[in-house]
Amino acid sequence: MAKMLSKVAPWLASHKQGADPEGVTVRALSGADTPALRRLALQDPVANVFILAHLRAVGSAAPTTGGAAVLGVFDDGILLGACWAGANLVPVELDPGFAGLIAEAASASGRRFASAFGPADSVLALHAELAELGHAAHEVRDEQPLMTLCGPPSVEPNADLELGRLADFDRILPACAAMFEEEVGYSPFLGGKEFYSRRVEGLIRQGHSLAHVNASGDVVFKAELGAVTADVTQIQGVWMNPGYRGQGLSAGYMAAVVEKARTLAPVTSLYVNGFNLRARSTYERVGFRQVGTFATVLF
């Protein structure tokens, strides 16, 4: 770590002066870089659960068949920081001073990015650099508390929450789409329904979809474990059916999500919009505490 920091400080100083020091490079990682990327991400297993879950599932830092890649910043062969560049940009231990290099490489790829999310300092620095390159954002959420719970929930879990079933796919999919549209302002089916449908089906098959489908066939509540490692799970897609809101049900359902998540990993995490005071209050009641701050930029 000391060697890495000794390289970062002088590089940042020269970068601020507009220099391009010899030896500093940005490139897409290959399979051979997988151990270095894993070591980098393990510096913060909670903040970096997205990339660690990807490595767990795929086993390699190499570009995917769909064209997604991990961009790495190197100096003398040392990986100083990285960024997933697929449908989204997700920085991994990326010092904000390296954001310009990553933004240039990402922009040059020609890919269209739906969002950037992750630790706030890195994401907001990426946003500033991408804006200079002509990538306009339509929304910036600059304060999203990153929260964890390292034990059982503080309230009684709702026993009605179950693993999502393929038999309920036609009910769960519209609930997921409704959550997505509420969250980002447009339908996940724009440009086609197949990709998002496969994503939802995959979460159900993995046992990472959680839902309460009542006797009337309504999805009352649903959530997903969007990223899972042996150490950390990250809850995503929390949604309460509008017809059942205001009844004090959310905490019990979230407690049940935590109970399910704890069968997979000891630490349960999530991040939430800072302006969503009701959700933050619910998560705190369940036992979550803030450990950092994320940001999301929607392009």
Side-chain angles (χ1 to χ4, degrees):
M1 177 63 69
K3 183 178 181 182
M4 181 180 293
L5 291 175
S6 71
K7 289 183 173 294
V8 172
W11 189 95
L12 291 177
S14 61
H15 181 62
K16 290 174 183 175
Q17 298 166 8
D20 184 17
E22 185 178 354
V24 176
T25 58
V26 176
R27 64 170 173 81
L29 303 191
S30 69
D33 298 307
T34 302
L37 178 62
R38 183 174 286 111
R39 287 193 298 270
L40 186 73
L42 284 172
Q43 293 180 29
D44 190 337
V46 173
N48 298 319
V49 66
F50 173 88
I51 196 66
L52 288 168
H54 170 75
L55 291 178
R56 186 188 193 198
V58 177
S60 176
T64 69
T65 56
V70 182
L71 302 173
V73 178
F74 290 86
D75 189 0
D76 288 345
I78 299 174
L79 181 63
L80 301 181
C83 185
W84 170 264
N88 308 292
L89 293 169
V90 187
V92 181
E93 297 300 304
L94 182 68
D95 190 290
F98 293 137
L101 292 174
I102 292 293
E104 289 173 9
S107 184
S109 73
R111 291 185 68 95
R112 181 177 179 181
F113 304 105
S115 73
F117 64 86
D121 288 349
S122 299
V123 167
L124 296 176
L126 275 173
H127 165 51
E129 297 287 351
L130 287 166
E132 290 289 328
L133 296 170
H135 299 269
H138 75 78
E139 186 173 357
V140 178
R141 299 176 181 181
D142 59 2
E143 184 186 354
Q144 297 178 306
L146 175 65
M147 310 179 80
T148 61
L149 200 167
C150 301
S154 301
V155 301
E156 186 70 22
N158 188 321
D160 290 328
L161 188 76
E162 299 178 332
L163 295 179
R165 302 182 303 166
L166 286 175
D168 292 321
F169 175 78
D170 289 340
R171 296 181 174 90
I172 293 173
L173 179 62
C176 291
M179 178 282 306
F180 186 100
E181 190 160 357
E182 271 188 46
E183 182 67 17
V184 302
Y186 59 86
S187 170
F189 299 147
L190 287 178
K193 191 174 181 179
E194 183 179 357
F195 177 81
Y196 190 74
S197 298
R198 286 203 311 269
R199 168 68 174 161
V200 173
E201 181 181 349
L203 288 166
I204 294 173
R205 290 187 183 278
Q206 293 168 37
H208 296 169
S209 168
L210 305 164
H212 172 204
V213 183
N214 67 14
S216 300
D218 294 333
V219 176
V220 180
F221 174 93
K222 71 94 192 168
E224 290 83 44
L225 303 179
V228 177
T229 71
D231 301 310
V232 182
T233 60
Q234 187 179 88
I235 300 170
Q236 299 175 359
V238 176
W239 181 80
M240 176 73 73
N241 187 318
Y244 296 86
R245 295 175 187 174
Q247 300 179 30
L249 300 174
S250 296
Y253 281 121
M254 284 302 302
V257 173
V258 171
E259 287 287 83
K260 303 288 188 187
R262 290 180 68 231
T263 67
L264 301 176
V267 179
T268 310
S269 72
L270 55 82
Y271 60 100
V272 58
N273 290 318
F275 56 77
N276 194 341
L277 300 181
R278 178 173 293 181
R280 291 176 64 177
S281 177
T282 295
Y283 299 150
E284 289 170 359
R285 181 182 168 200
V286 172
F288 285 91
R289 296 295 179 263
Q290 184 171 356
V291 296
T293 303
F294 266 25
T296 296
V297 177
L298 302 174
F299 293 105

